[in-house]
Amino acid sequence: MHDDRTLVEARLKRVLQERVRPAVHPESVPLEVAVWHAPGEPVAVAEGLAAASAPIAVGDRWGAPWGTSWFTVTGTVPERWAGRTVEAILDLGFDENMPGFQCEGLVYRPDGTPVKGLNPRNQWVRVGAPVEGGEEVRLHIEAASNPVILDYHPFLPTRLGDKETAGTAPQYRLARMDLVVFDEAVWQLVIDLEVLGELMAELPVESARRYELLRAIGRALDVIDLQDVGGTAEAARAELAGVLSAPAVPSAHRISAVGHAHIDSAWLWPLRETVRKVARTASNMTALLRDEPDFVFVMSQAQQWAWIKEHRPEVWAEVTKAVAAGRFVPTGGMWVESDTNMPGSEAMARQFVHGKRFFIDEFGVDNDEVWLPDTFGFAAGLPQIIKAAGSRRLLTQKISWSRTNTFPHHTFLWEGIDGTRIFTHFPPVDTYNCSMSGREIAHAATNFKDKGVARHSLAPTGWGDGGGGTTREMVAKAARLRDLEGSATVTWETPAAFFDKAEAEYAHPPVWTGELYLELHRATLTSQAKTKRGNRRSESLLREAELWAATAAVRAGFAYPYAQLDRIWKTVLLHQFHDILPGSSIAWVHREAERTYAAVAGELEEIIGAAQRALAGDPAGGTVGGTVGGTVVFNAAPHTRAAVPAGGAARADANDAGGDGAGVSGPTAREGGGYLLDNGLLRVEIDERGLVVSAYDLAADRETVAPGQAANLLQIHPDFPNMWDAWDVDEFYRNTVTDLTEAEEVTPGDEPGSVRVVRAFGASTVTQVLTLPPGAKRLDIRTEVDWHETEKFLKLAFPLDVHAERYAAESQYGHVYRPTHTNTSWEAAKFEACNHRFVHVGEPDWGVALVNDSTYGHDVTRTVRAADSGTTTTVRISLLRAPRFPDPETDQGLHHFHHALVPGATIGDAVREGHFVNLPERRVPGGAEVAPLVTLDDDAVVVTAVKLADDESGDVIVRFHESRGARARATLTPNFPISAAIPADLLERPVADPYPGGEPVSLRLRPFELVTLRLVRGPVA
């Protein structure tokens, strides 16, 4: 049989494009348009509605970059249209190929009531159905002239990404402002033809169903009078009714469609614009929900809900009605869809604390599902955090973007580092912007990896990022696909309903253990170093602020700043969004983030200072402990530091007398040039180039640096990835490397036991101070880089004389092991990975740690030396990049880093030294000894938070985990009266019977186990 599909497809495409779609609006009349351009930042709705406007014509240009224009459109429905459906078509100058990445609008009635959003695929506003004729129409449009950053050539540098450099040239041309007749029959015919044509294109050539569709489409096209489409639309639809009513086969794949609009909380637009994107989309979706009874829409990111509540109360009112009806569904339970690789342990926990609490407080909704479609990989510690937050399911899609290996499952159990398993689904539709096209639906069915044992998948459906969400066309297509032969079936459902079905049918899903590594976007671990430093510093300061404020509240009656800490946490969590912390946003976002982090640091320093002063007492008079004069040393780290207990404070004289008494000599001159440092524990040789050629562990009688090589070696690579400049680093970058060995200056430093090294290269300079502190087997390396390179990648290398087939990198509440070899494509793909405070490389009896105060990206490679057949394991810290898109000035300027080389380190040593570098001691005038609120007798059990309970009861919350990957027995002793110690989840809700008060709490922890205890203050009952 001859296959006429190609001919029918070509005919269908032309008839739809040139005749049928235009006939949806067979008559039109122009609207009158006036505009007011807001002079600065967006204004309140009332101000925009009241502003005096001037006439503007279709075809005129409007909209400076990042500007706001308020359009007023007016007109009268013609009397001859009585009894017909009428809409307004409001085209601001859209490019339909780019929903979400250009101008947008929100339509208001004259009384300020929001109607719906305007977007490239959603330009209509219903006027009446039917109209009487003669109605006066008056609508207002708050239009945002956001510039196009991600164009068809998406990686060209642009200055449009910052309002300060974007200029004032108008970006758009007003395209259409009309009242139109809407022909329902023609519109339905368009959907019929699109659904059947797209399905036909996906069916195999030998399929009888394909020929049924081909013939039915051909008959329908024959019936259409191209000069009277409206008059023949119903007859054409009748030719299609038979094939549209044929039911799907019982074994068809089943898709749960979920209305969705993935909105990046900042990316190619600033935070303030996301506030408006969310309001536009929410207005669009509440309007669609009113028109479509089967439709369900979900929205994640509690921050975005909070923005609507705060900034758009008129939109919030409609949203809350739809939530109450069960149609507009809060999902995900996180404050934002954050990056999950780089946030620290407590920050990752607080994403769930603040996200879930918002939905519980506002709507009584406690989500089981975590919704993270677009995050750049998933840390191995996340499953137990999800469980500890009271959730048990995860949805993501991003792993389908991996470039090397195809993930083997779509529905599976994900096992984290402590053994916790989370039911996880990757939608096989391979997009979080599904449009219900036949190609997408067919791909979901054929791509599904778990056929034979499962047949349900989920399709997040709608345009994101301000594209307007789900459209009425998508809903109409889904209705036809509900039960259609040759297609997967489609039903609108909530994520909870989908997961219930998926779990029920898949009793024994496969298990994936360890991190979900994305084989793409690896450079996001390094781009925008100042943003990453701001995040790490904020996390550390928040830990200190909570610890000392809680201690001062219990010990000295200090007023715990509940509301202030809550606000600051939410600010820090917002900036962990997966395009802010990863460094993949426009310049405006990162410039603003730098200011925000500075303000956060200022507030937290004030809290810390006030709490410590309350604890330390008056150095010249009476104190909390009755002691007079002196200095008090505070230690926020979870390990004892000299004579200062973890989480407590001691007088400086006691602290300064602590330690093992080892001093430090030098720097002394080294034969051949350079300097020698020695503190009795570690002997370090720094050669005339400022490179570390020896770091000798004196107790172990062991060299750290690989023979013939040098550590503290700065290396620079060209860095021009094939795509996604700020996001990606491709493996071929390693093919070319320049070792920066020339030094301008190698001299003794200003403090004892230090050497100062200055280098110049390109247009940049590096100043390093290498210090061997007394009493510590640790070489501190403080690096200042004045960076002015372009498309370069700067690394700091440490070739180690260690034979290791794997290494450990700290992650949330523990660490993950990664191979140093490349036996398979899975290992080879991990050529750039994430760590938190440390990387550890070790043999069974001896190891080396590299700790840091703000870097995340690194690589570890292993080579065999020809001279002695020994193994060199090289750890390289990623310091800086210089991509030009989307921020052409990425990382330009001054940067500071603190790293430390720790020879002879165990995992426990790496944990301790990592905390010490990130939580330096503080000295405050006073004379009081400050006992920790709690003590633990096993250093393997690490406290990550001490705070007062969020419910303002005064109870103390302590969170801790086993940090070394082994079982632990520990005793927690509260150093204040408690009536009970209650095991709790992250939201501080009881999860088990309490331990009795008045006695220490005996604990048994499995490897990496996370525990939260609520210590109820008061006398023992």
Side-chain angles (χ1 to χ4, degrees), residues 864-984:
V864 176
R865 301 186 294 269
D868 63 356
S869 297
T871 300
T872 297
T873 301
T874 301
V875 180
R876 299 199 308 162
I877 307 301
S878 303
L879 295 182
L880 292 166
R881 300 184 67 234
R884 301 189 67 201
F885 182 87
D887 175 6
E889 299 296 324
T890 301
D891 283 336
Q892 301 300 298
L894 200 62
H895 301 270
H896 295 89
F897 307 97
H898 181 184
H899 294 86
L901 177 69
V902 190
T906 64
I907 289 285
D909 296 330
V911 172
R912 183 191 66 247
E913 296 297 336
H915 281 291
F916 283 175
V917 164
N918 284 268
L919 296 165
E921 65 181 26
R922 292 175 179 266
R923 292 176 174 250
V924 178
E929 299 285 332
V930 182
L933 289 182
V934 297
T935 54
L936 279 157
D937 64 353
D938 186 342
D939 274 355
V941 181
V942 171
V943 173
T944 60
V946 177
K947 59 187 287 291
L948 293 194
D950 290 342
D951 61 8
E952 302 190 21
S953 62
D955 293 346
V956 174
I957 303 297
V958 181
R959 189 149 34 248
F960 50 90
H961 71 287
E962 195 288 318
S963 66
R964 300 178 186 175
R967 294 187 181 272
R969 293 188 179 186
T971 300
L972 182 142
T973 303
N975 297 317
F976 61 97
I978 68 167
S979 59
I982 305 173

Side-chain angles (χ1 to χ4, degrees), residues 522-566:
R522 302 167 181 89
T524 57
L525 302 172
T526 305
S527 297
Q528 298 287 1
K530 289 182 181 178
T531 299
K532 290 169 171 60
R533 184 172 186 81
N535 173 74
R536 181 76 69 81
R537 185 183 181 205
S538 297
E539 290 178 349
S540 297
L541 290 172
L542 276 162
R543 174 196 179 100
E544 288 195 81
E546 288 184 336
L547 169 65
W548 301 127
T551 305
V554 173
R555 299 271 186 252
F558 183 77
Y560 191 84
Y562 292 100
Q564 187 179 11
L565 287 171
D566 179 84

